[in-house]
Amino acid sequence: MRTPYRLLALTPFIIAVWIATVVAQQPLRQAPRTPSASPSGPQSGKKLALAGGMLITGYEVPPIHHAVVLIEGNKITAAGPASEIRIPPDATVVDTSGRAMLPGLIEAHGHLVVLGHGDYATWFPWIKAHGGDAMQMKVMEIAARQLLMAGVTTTVDLGAPLKPILAIRDRINKGEVVGTRVLASGPWISRGSGGAMQDGFGGQNISSSEEAGQKVEELAKAGVDHIKAHSGLLFDDYKAIAAAAHKNRIRVHAHVYSESDVRHALDAGIDVLQHVGSAGTAPPYSPQLITDIVNAGRPVVVTAAHRAWIYQDTANFPERLQDPDMKKLFGPDIYNEVQDSLKNWWTLGYFQRTDREMLYRERGVKQFIESGAVMGMGTDSGTPMNFHSEALWREIKVHVDMGMTPMRAIAAATRVNAQIIGKGRELGSIEPGKLADIIVVNGNPLFDITALSHVEIVVKDGVVYKGGSAMDVRPPSTANAAK
Ligand SMILES: [Zn+2]
Ligand SMILES: [Zn+2]
């Protein structure tokens, strides 16, 4: 009796989602590569329902009120108004009433090897002196957990030593470590870089374009998910890197600030333009460059918050550096080391150019928002005072403060991010067939975007990792066995 009505009522939603999917996926190439985003083991057909809250799907359409999301195994099977979705009797129901549900956030630029310490020149030697590889693994485990608990279900790591970052990625996928899903570049490729940062992040210098292409081949063979092109590169280097990466069906993210670097990366076919002037080292770009980026549909990830805004926010509220959750998670050794490094944070080399950056910080973001560029959302999380536990909602807030609508900002951090990293088919929105990455926040982020800092429930791959009283925090294998 109810079925025809139900189908009828659902039809506009399905059509809207279908149209949005088709339209949204047109301009961007999908890398048809076996997803390392999928969990390694087979999932049981366990059913989960998130029921009652407002649903933001990841598309820029009005939210669905009093919604239900059904999950089977690690996939979403249905999503819509509660009045139209039948919850199977054998499903575990997580009550989301009075809250907002949205897709798991995607961090399009993170670094798991750092935890917000103030100085690379002391952080990396400190790791070496305090357990070496074992400490590095511990640091990455902490970072991965911080991200997941902040609702970041997927993180694009853009610079880390090769073996450790692939190891943590794979351990998380196997359920051995509770953490964000990691997609990794391994070492970045640069020219003429040196020092503690280059060493600690495992950066590799090349001295010819041919060598750049070879480096990409090596990394692709080793199993990286994408390539990070770092600084000092020439136009021909970008071309060689893009060609080798695309041959291997992976994408390239370029770390670019100056107008000429951005121009080279754009013209050479680099897939994602990262930073794009956010450090304030250059005034806003020429209208021609912006127009060309927009016309090319080339995604930008501004990483706006990490210097100029974080600095100001810390000046206003230095207490943020002593977050008790961080203290608990880091343990005394790491916590004390990080605290020591931030004692006189305003004198750190990392913030040396902040005065100048403050002059340009607003125009730097607005130029892209107002031009209609394809914008993802990434933060450089883990850099000084830019903690994994909050970097992404701070970045999103900056974009909203600079004029992006909350809906567009959420879409940027979910559906658009998924597309620009080549995972648009599996991640980034709440709709049937996608991986079940869903978060529940306290408050309406469309009214107040900082509701994203109050993540109460985190579901990744269909497993509840935070909140949702129905289950406790367990990796997928044990969680399935116990039910
Ligand atoms: Zn970078
Ligand atoms: Zn970075």
Side-chain angles (χ1 to χ4, degrees):
M1 195 175 83
R2 281 202 43 184
T3 311
Y5 167 72
R6 231 172 63 211
L7 279 176
L8 204 66
L10 259 176
T11 305
F13 173 67
I14 292 166
I15 290 173
V17 165
W18 179 78
I19 289 172
T21 308
V22 169
V23 170
Q25 295 194 346
Q26 288 291 330
L28 288 156
R29 276 168 294 157
Q30 292 292 322
R33 192 164 176 267
T34 314
S36 55
S38 304
S40 55
Q43 292 269 335
S44 73
K46 195 170 64 170
K47 291 175 187 145
L48 184 68
L50 303 180
M54 179 175 87
L55 176 63
I56 297 167
T57 59
Y59 291 95
E60 291 176 63
V61 295
I64 298 166
H65 296 286
H66 308 294
V68 169
V69 180
L70 291 185
I71 296 163
E72 197 170 327
N74 66 344
K75 295 261 176 70
I76 296 165
T77 55
S83 58
E84 297 167 7
I85 301 234
R86 193 185 69 86
I87 297 176
D90 55 340
T92 304
V93 180
V94 174
D95 183 7
T96 64
S97 303
R99 300 288 186 256
M101 305 185 271
L102 59 152
L105 302 174
I106 298 174
E107 164 64 85
H109 191 144
H111 294 284
L112 267 67
V113 292
V114 280
L115 295 174
H117 189 282
D119 185 7
Y120 303 138
T122 53
W123 172 245
F124 291 115
W126 184 86
I127 291 180
K128 262 194 190 118
H130 292 79
D133 292 351
M135 178 56 84
Q136 187 164 53
M137 184 53 78
K138 185 178 173 188
V139 164
M140 291 190 297
E141 286 176 8
I142 290 172
R145 181 183 279 267
Q146 279 186 295
L147 286 156
L148 185 65
M149 295 304 140
V152 180
T153 48
T154 300
T155 299
V156 174
D157 192 281
L158 288 179
L162 183 63
K163 274 191 184 154
I165 195 69
L166 297 187
I168 185 90
R169 177 193 72 184
D170 296 344
R171 290 181 64 212
I172 292 167
N173 283 343
K174 283 184 209 150
E176 293 170 15
V177 174
V178 170
T180 186
R181 179 184 296 108
V182 174
L183 301 168
S185 68
W188 60 52
I189 298 170
S190 52
R191 240 188 213 261
S193 295
M197 183 168 100
Q198 175 85 350
D199 291 349
F201 290 94
Q204 295 186 0
N205 279 323
I206 51 103
S207 47
S208 70
S209 300
E210 295 72 49
E211 205 186 328
Q214 285 160 15
K215 202 53 89 187
V216 172
E217 292 285 352
E218 282 169 33
L219 291 169
K221 219 164 261 147
V224 302
D225 300 287
H226 46 256
I227 297 294
K228 167 88 174 274
H230 202 244
S231 49
L233 298 170
L234 311 176
F235 178 65
D236 285 343
D237 300 339
Y238 287 122
K239 270 176 69 174
I241 289 170
H246 295 161
K247 197 184 102 201
N248 284 282
R249 293 177 169 176
I250 55 179
R251 296 186 180 198
V252 185
H253 298 251
H255 163 115
V256 280
Y257 288 98
S258 71
E259 170 122 2
S260 62
D261 278 352
V262 177
R263 169 58 71 187
H264 286 160
L266 173 70
D267 291 350
I270 297 294
D271 302 280
V272 184
L273 305 171
Q274 293 269 356
H275 303 306
V276 280
S278 60
T281 44
Y285 297 123
S286 67
Q288 190 59 54
L289 180 58
I290 297 284
T291 303
D292 291 349
I293 289 172
V294 173
N295 286 342
R298 197 67 53 82
V300 296
V301 175
V302 181
T303 66
H306 69 309
R307 292 173 192 265
W309 267 279
I310 293 271
Y311 186 95
Q312 183 69 60
D313 292 350
T314 308
N316 293 342
F317 185 61
E319 288 79 1
R320 66 176 286 270
L321 301 177
Q322 285 87 40
D323 173 12
D325 289 342
M326 191 161 74
K327 187 173 184 179
K328 212 162 92 189
L329 190 60
F330 282 13
D333 288 2
I334 296 175
Y335 183 75
N336 292 337
E337 175 57 30
V338 171
Q339 289 297 308
D340 266 3
S341 77
L342 300 176
K343 250 181 206 142
N344 301 304
W345 57 266
W346 55 92
T347 65
L348 293 171
Y350 190 78
F351 298 108
Q352 246 168 26
R353 286 193 305 254
T354 303
D355 289 354
R356 182 179 160 85
E357 287 161 14
M358 301 283 256
L359 285 175
Y360 299 120
R361 66 177 197 175
E362 301 202 353
R363 277 177 283 169
V365 184
K366 283 178 179 166
Q367 63 186 339
F368 290 111
I369 295 176
E370 288 163 6
S371 66
V374 176
M375 297 181 78
M377 201 65 78
T379 72
D380 228 349
S381 79
T383 53
M385 306 200 298
N386 192 20
F387 306 113
H388 297 293
S389 48
E390 48 174 51
L392 194 48
W393 70 255
R394 284 183 180 279
E395 183 75 22
I396 294 170
K397 177 177 171 2
V398 165
H399 280 70
V400 170
D401 289 348
M402 291 304 100
M404 192 180 253
T405 65
M407 192 59 108
R408 183 178 169 199
I410 290 169
T414 57
R415 182 178 48 82
V416 178
N417 266 355
Q419 283 168 7
I420 71 180
I421 63 172
K423 301 290 179 193
R425 291 201 179 95
E426 313 128 66
L427 301 173
S429 60
I430 298 180
E431 59 186 307
K434 293 260 177 126
L435 289 178
D437 287 3
I438 298 160
I439 63 171
V440 179
V441 301
N442 183 358
N444 176 8
L446 303 178
F447 172 73
D448 175 5
I449 197 68
T450 61
L452 296 182
S453 68
H454 304 291
V455 175
E456 292 189 343
I457 298 173
V458 177
V459 179
K460 188 191 77 170
D461 268 329
V463 177
V464 182
Y465 283 96
K466 181 184 188 181
S469 56
M471 293 182 210
D472 38 18
V473 177
R474 282 166 297 179
S477 49
T478 52
N480 286 332
K483 275 276 159 180

